[in-house]
Coordinates of all heavy atoms in Angstrom, one line a residue:
R729 N -49.4 150.3 114.9 CA -50.6 151.2 114.9 C -51.8 150.4 114.4 O -51.6 149.3 113.8 CB -50.3 152.4 114.1 CG -50.2 152.2 112.6 CD -50.0 153.4 111.9 NE -49.9 153.2 110.4 CZ -49.9 154.2 109.5 NH1 -49.9 155.4 109.8 NH2 -49.8 153.8 108.2
G730 N -52.9 151.0 114.6 CA -54.2 150.4 114.1 C -55.1 151.4 113.5 O -54.7 152.5 113.2
W731 N -56.4 151.0 113.2 CA -57.3 151.9 112.5 C -58.6 152.2 113.3 O -59.0 151.3 114.1 CB -57.6 151.2 111.2 CG -56.4 150.7 110.5 CD1 -56.1 149.4 110.1 CD2 -55.3 151.5 109.9 NE1 -54.9 149.3 109.6 CE2 -54.4 150.6 109.3 CE3 -55.1 152.9 109.8 CZ2 -53.3 151.0 108.7 CZ3 -53.9 153.3 109.2 CH2 -53.0 152.4 108.7
T732 N -59.0 153.3 113.2 CA -60.2 153.7 114.0 C -61.5 153.1 113.4 O -61.5 152.6 112.3 CB -60.4 155.3 114.0 OG1 -60.7 155.7 112.6 CG2 -59.2 156.0 114.5
T733 N -62.5 153.1 114.2 CA -63.8 152.6 113.6 C -64.2 153.4 112.5 O -64.9 152.9 111.5 CB -64.9 152.5 114.8 OG1 -64.9 153.8 115.5 CG2 -64.7 151.5 115.8
G734 N -63.9 154.7 112.5 CA -64.4 155.6 111.4 C -63.7 155.2 110.1 O -64.3 155.2 109.0
A735 N -62.4 154.8 110.2 CA -61.7 154.4 109.0 C -62.2 153.1 108.5 O -62.4 152.9 107.3 CB -60.2 154.3 109.3
C736 N -62.4 152.2 109.4 CA -63.0 150.8 109.0 C -64.4 151.0 108.3 O -64.6 150.4 107.3 CB -63.1 149.9 110.2 SG -61.5 149.5 111.0
A737 N -65.2 151.8 108.9 CA -66.5 152.1 108.4 C -66.5 152.6 107.0 O -67.2 152.3 106.1 CB -67.4 152.9 109.3
T738 N -65.5 153.6 106.8 CA -65.3 154.2 105.5 C -64.9 153.2 104.4 O -65.4 153.2 103.3 CB -64.2 155.4 105.6 OG1 -64.8 156.3 106.5 CG2 -64.1 156.0 104.2
A739 N -64.1 152.4 104.8 CA -63.5 151.2 103.8 C -64.7 150.4 103.5 O -64.9 150.0 102.3 CB -62.4 150.5 104.5
I759 N -58.5 153.5 101.0 CA -59.1 154.9 101.2 C -58.0 155.8 101.6 O -56.9 155.5 102.0 CB -60.2 154.7 102.3 CG1 -59.5 154.4 103.8 CG2 -61.3 153.7 102.0 CD1 -60.4 154.6 104.9
T760 N -58.5 157.1 101.5 CA -57.5 158.2 101.9 C -57.9 158.7 103.3 O -59.0 159.1 103.5 CB -57.6 159.3 100.9 OG1 -57.3 158.8 99.6 CG2 -56.7 160.5 101.3
L761 N -56.9 158.6 104.2 CA -57.2 159.2 105.6 C -57.2 160.7 105.5 O -56.8 161.3 104.7 CB -56.2 158.6 106.6 CG -56.1 157.1 106.6 CD1 -55.0 156.6 107.6 CD2 -57.4 156.4 107.0
P762 N -57.6 161.3 106.6 CA -57.8 162.8 106.7 C -56.5 163.5 106.4 O -56.5 164.6 105.9 CB -58.3 163.0 108.1 CG -59.1 161.8 108.4 CD -58.4 160.7 107.8
R763 N -55.3 162.9 106.7 CA -54.1 163.6 106.5 C -53.4 163.2 105.2 O -52.3 163.5 105.0 CB -53.1 163.3 107.7 CG -53.6 164.0 109.0 CD -52.8 163.7 110.2 NE -53.3 164.3 111.4 CZ -52.8 164.2 112.6 NH1 -51.6 163.5 112.8 NH2 -53.3 164.8 113.7
G764 N -54.2 162.5 104.3 CA -53.6 162.2 103.0 C -53.1 160.9 102.8 O -52.8 160.5 101.7
E765 N -52.9 160.1 103.8 CA -52.3 158.7 103.6 C -53.3 157.8 103.1 O -54.4 157.7 103.4 CB -51.8 158.2 105.1 CG -51.1 156.9 104.9 CD -50.6 156.4 106.3 OE1 -50.8 157.1 107.3 OE2 -50.2 155.2 106.3
V767 N -54.4 153.9 102.6 CA -54.2 152.7 103.3 C -55.2 151.6 102.8 O -56.4 152.0 102.3 CB -54.3 152.8 104.9 CG1 -53.2 153.6 105.4 CG2 -55.7 153.4 105.2
G768 N -54.9 150.4 103.0 CA -55.7 149.3 102.4 C -56.4 148.5 103.6 O -55.8 148.4 104.6
F769 N -57.7 148.0 103.4 CA -58.4 147.3 104.3 C -59.0 146.1 103.7 O -59.6 146.1 102.6 CB -59.6 148.1 104.8 CG -59.2 149.3 105.7 CD1 -58.8 150.5 105.1 CD2 -59.2 149.2 107.0 CE1 -58.5 151.5 105.9 CE2 -58.9 150.3 107.9 CZ -58.5 151.5 107.3
K787 N -62.2 145.3 112.7 CA -61.4 146.5 113.3 C -60.1 145.9 113.8 O -60.0 145.0 114.7 CB -62.2 147.0 114.4 CG -61.4 147.9 115.4 CD -61.0 149.3 114.9 CE -60.3 150.1 116.0 NZ -61.2 150.6 117.0
D788 N -59.0 146.5 113.4 CA -57.7 146.2 113.9 C -57.1 147.4 114.6 O -56.8 148.4 113.9 CB -56.7 145.8 112.7 CG -55.3 145.4 113.2 OD1 -55.1 145.5 114.3 OD2 -54.5 145.1 112.2
A789 N -57.0 147.3 115.9 CA -56.5 148.4 116.8 C -55.0 148.3 116.9 O -54.4 149.1 117.7 CB -57.2 148.5 118.0
G790 N -54.3 147.5 116.1 CA -52.9 147.4 116.3 C -52.6 146.8 117.7 O -53.2 145.9 118.3
D794 N -57.6 148.4 122.8 CA -58.9 149.0 122.4 C -60.0 148.0 122.6 O -59.9 146.9 122.1 CB -58.8 149.6 120.9 CG -60.0 150.4 120.5 OD1 -61.1 150.0 120.8 OD2 -59.7 151.4 119.8
V840 N -65.8 163.6 111.7 CA -64.8 163.2 110.8 C -65.1 161.9 110.1 O -64.9 161.9 108.9 CB -63.3 163.2 111.4 CG1 -62.3 162.6 110.5 CG2 -63.0 164.6 111.9
P841 N -65.5 160.8 110.8 CA -66.0 159.7 110.1 C -67.1 160.0 109.0 O -67.1 159.4 107.9 CB -66.4 158.7 111.1 CG -65.6 159.1 112.3 CD -65.5 160.5 112.2
M844 N -65.4 161.5 106.0 CA -64.7 160.5 105.2 C -65.7 159.7 104.4 O -65.4 159.4 103.2 CB -64.0 159.6 106.3 CG -62.8 160.3 107.0 SD -62.0 159.3 108.3 CE -61.3 157.9 107.3
I891 N -68.9 155.6 116.3 CA -67.9 155.5 115.2 C -67.1 156.8 115.2 O -67.5 157.8 115.1 CB -68.7 155.5 113.8 CG1 -69.7 154.3 113.8 CG2 -67.7 155.3 112.7 CD1 -69.1 152.9 114.0
L892 N -65.9 156.5 115.6 CA -64.9 157.5 116.1 C -63.7 157.7 115.2 O -63.4 156.9 114.3 CB -64.5 157.3 117.5 CG -65.5 157.1 118.6 CD1 -64.8 156.7 119.8 CD2 -66.2 158.4 118.8
G893 N -62.9 158.8 115.5 CA -61.6 158.9 114.8 C -61.5 160.3 114.2 O -62.4 160.8 113.5
T894 N -60.4 160.9 114.4 CA -60.1 162.2 113.7 C -59.0 162.1 112.6 O -58.9 162.9 111.7 CB -59.8 163.3 114.7 OG1 -58.6 162.9 115.4 CG2 -60.9 163.6 115.6
T895 N -58.2 161.1 112.8 CA -57.0 160.9 111.8 C -57.2 159.5 111.1 O -56.5 159.3 110.1 CB -55.7 160.9 112.6 OG1 -55.6 159.7 113.4 CG2 -55.5 162.2 113.4
G896 N -58.1 158.7 111.6 CA -58.2 157.3 111.0 C -57.2 156.3 111.6 O -57.4 155.1 111.4
I897 N -56.3 156.8 112.4 CA -55.2 156.0 112.9 C -55.3 155.9 114.5 O -55.6 156.9 115.1 CB -53.8 156.6 112.6 CG1 -53.7 156.7 111.1 CG2 -52.7 155.8 113.2 CD1 -52.4 157.4 110.6
V898 N -55.2 154.6 114.9 CA -55.1 154.4 116.4 C -53.6 154.3 116.8 O -52.9 153.3 116.2 CB -55.8 153.2 116.8 CG1 -55.6 152.9 118.3 CG2 -57.3 153.3 116.6
R899 N -53.0 155.1 117.6 CA -51.6 155.0 117.9 C -51.6 154.3 119.2 O -52.3 154.7 120.2 CB -51.0 156.5 118.1 CG -51.1 157.1 116.7 CD -50.1 158.2 116.5 NE -50.3 158.9 115.3 CZ -49.7 158.4 114.1 NH1 -49.0 157.3 114.1 NH2 -49.9 159.1 113.0

Side-chain angles (χ1 to χ4, degrees):
R729 67 180 183 170
W731 312 113
T732 63
T733 47
C736 295
T738 300
I759 65 168
T760 303
L761 300 181
R763 295 179 180 174
E765 183 179 355
V767 293
F769 291 80
K787 164 71 180 286
D788 179 1
D794 189 318
V840 172
M844 292 170 66
I891 305 300
L892 301 172
T894 56
T895 65
I897 299 169
V898 175
R899 301 203 179 277

